[in-house]
């Protein structure tokens, strides 16, 4: 176990070192794309809120338009970073823009994950429901129902979190391997098999920084909060995008799951 922890930590350190080197060389291009994502997100929220007071249909259309733009920019950013990792610096940014088919695959996979998460919650509720009646005490049924609901939601949240980690790399298979909706999800399951702990270590680094921001905001140390927010916007976010892309390339270099992986074979 100790050896496994050492190997995992070393692998994560290597990913961060490579990512930092890449960020130093191409900071302005990567940070510029991240800034476009920030502007798109802020503008979409502003317009959707403003227009909703005048026309709900137009507000919905604008929200959909900006959602496509936002995730399209996201895929463009990841494809651009993959080109940088592969040494294709001369490839123009316009060639990194995803096709309409890739966007359809992306949203199809996102919808599939949402459906799976809801189905997971319903399945847990259905499986756990008989135990509610077994341990029921007529005097405190309402209290028992409340505890039961909290328990089911808590377990479902943990399983959904694990599910999201396992399928998180589906966008890369869509833009890098041109895989379809369900094949990209199967690929992500296969790729993350045995790598969940490493991914959790990477996630913990960025989660710690976000928690630090929330902590200083809660204490009303607004100057420190603003400084951390600026660091997050101009350094942490670009670094996080590169780290995820480098992690994908590193895991793909050790991938032996075949060209048509099955989810059931890669759950554990």
């Amino acid at each position: 176990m100790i050896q496994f922890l050492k190997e995992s930590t070393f692998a994560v350190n290597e990913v961060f070192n490579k990512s930092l080197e890449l960020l130093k060389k191409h900071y302005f291009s990567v940070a510029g794309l991240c800034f476009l994502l920030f502007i798109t997100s802020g503008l979409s929220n502003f317009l959707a809120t403003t227009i909703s007071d005048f026309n709900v249909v137009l507000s919905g259309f604008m929200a959909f338009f900006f959602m496509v733009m936002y995730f399209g920019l996201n895929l463009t950013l990841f494809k651009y970073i993959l080109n940088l990792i592969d040494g294709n610096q001369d490839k123009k940014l316009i060639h990194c823009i995803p096709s309409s088919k890739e966007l359809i695959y992306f949203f199809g996979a996102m919808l599939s994950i949402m459906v799976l998460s809801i189905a997971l919650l319903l399945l847990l509720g259905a499986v756990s429901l008989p135990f509610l009646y077994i341990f029921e005490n007529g005097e405190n049924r309402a209290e028992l129902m409340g505890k039961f609901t909290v328990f089911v939601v808590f377990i479902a949240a943990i399983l959904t979190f694990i599910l999201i980690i396992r399928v998180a790399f589906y966008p890369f298979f869509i833009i890098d391997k041109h895989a379809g909706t369900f094949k990209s999800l199967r690929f992500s399951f296969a790729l993350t098999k045995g790598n969940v702990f490493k991914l959790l270590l990477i996630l913990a680094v960025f989660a710690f920084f976000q928690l630090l921001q929330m902590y200083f905001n809660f204490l009303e140390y607004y100057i420190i909060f603003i400084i951390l927010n600026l660091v997050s916007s101009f350094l942490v976010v670009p670094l996080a995008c590169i780290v995820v892309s480098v992690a994908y390339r590193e895991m793909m270099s050790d991938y032996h799951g075949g060209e048509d992986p099955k989810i059931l074979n890669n759950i554990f």
Side-chain angles (χ1 to χ4, degrees):
M1 181 62 184
I2 294 175
Q3 183 62 28
F4 171 73
L5 290 173
K6 286 181 178 179
E7 290 176 358
S8 298
T9 305
F10 175 77
V12 170
N13 286 339
E14 190 175 345
V15 167
F16 271 95
N17 289 335
K18 288 183 178 179
S19 300
L20 284 169
E21 286 298 319
L22 200 64
L23 184 62
K24 288 177 185 177
K25 293 178 181 177
H26 306 281
Y27 173 77
F28 290 104
S29 56
V30 175
L33 285 171
C34 290
F35 182 70
L36 278 178
L37 283 171
F38 174 77
I39 292 296
T40 303
S41 176
L43 191 59
S44 66
N45 290 332
F46 172 74
L47 288 177
T49 304
T50 305
I51 297 175
S52 62
D53 297 332
F54 303 100
N55 191 313
V56 177
V57 176
L58 181 60
S59 174
F61 172 77
M62 292 301 295
F64 173 77
F65 172 76
F66 275 102
M67 181 177 68
V68 173
M69 272 196 64
Y70 180 82
F71 288 111
L73 277 171
N74 238 310
L75 294 178
T76 301
L77 173 62
F78 285 132
K79 187 180 280 191
Y80 177 71
I81 294 173
L82 289 179
N83 282 328
L84 295 180
I85 295 171
D86 297 337
N88 301 325
Q89 288 92 345
D90 296 332
K91 200 166 186 179
K92 295 182 179 179
L93 186 61
I94 194 171
H95 297 140
C96 299
I97 297 174
S99 65
S100 56
K101 183 183 289 187
E102 288 173 335
L103 283 171
I104 290 172
Y105 288 155
F106 175 83
F107 285 112
M110 182 184 290
L111 182 61
S112 300
I113 294 169
M114 292 173 60
V115 171
L116 280 173
S117 301
I118 295 171
L120 189 61
L121 178 60
L122 294 175
L123 181 63
L124 274 173
V127 171
S128 305
L129 191 60
F131 294 97
L132 177 66
Y133 291 97
I134 292 173
F135 297 105
E136 180 182 358
N137 183 347
E139 298 177 358
N140 59 354
R141 182 172 182 179
E143 182 182 350
L144 187 62
M145 179 63 79
K147 291 180 179 179
F148 168 77
T149 303
V150 171
F151 172 76
V152 170
V153 171
F154 177 72
I155 298 299
I158 293 175
L159 293 177
T160 301
F161 176 71
I162 296 172
L163 172 67
I164 290 173
I165 290 178
R166 295 300 304 274
V167 300
F169 289 89
Y170 77 88
F172 290 97
F173 287 103
I174 292 174
I175 60 177
D176 188 39
K177 303 297 181 183
H178 309 292
T181 294
F182 299 110
K183 192 171 183 179
S184 64
L185 292 173
R186 297 201 307 271
F187 264 127
S188 187
F189 254 98
L191 183 69
T192 53
K193 182 181 180 181
N195 290 307
V196 172
F197 185 76
K198 296 175 187 176
L199 296 175
L200 286 174
L201 285 176
I202 291 172
L203 183 64
V205 174
F206 295 109
F208 172 76
F209 194 84
Q210 292 300 317
L211 289 172
L212 201 61
Q213 284 182 265
M214 293 170 61
Y215 174 73
F216 284 110
N217 188 36
F218 176 76
L219 293 180
E220 298 183 354
Y221 292 165
Y222 295 121
I223 295 178
I224 299 177
F225 171 73
I226 291 171
I227 293 172
L228 289 175
N229 200 21
L230 288 172
V231 172
S232 175
S233 301
F234 293 101
L235 180 61
V236 177
V237 173
L239 178 61
C241 294
I242 295 178
V243 165
V244 172
S245 304
V246 171
Y248 165 75
R249 273 288 183 257
E250 290 292 309
M251 289 188 292
M252 279 301 294
S253 64
D254 296 326
Y255 175 71
H256 303 290
E259 291 299 319
D260 191 22
K262 307 298 180 185
I263 288 181
L264 291 178
N265 296 337
N266 292 288
I267 291 179
F268 301 107

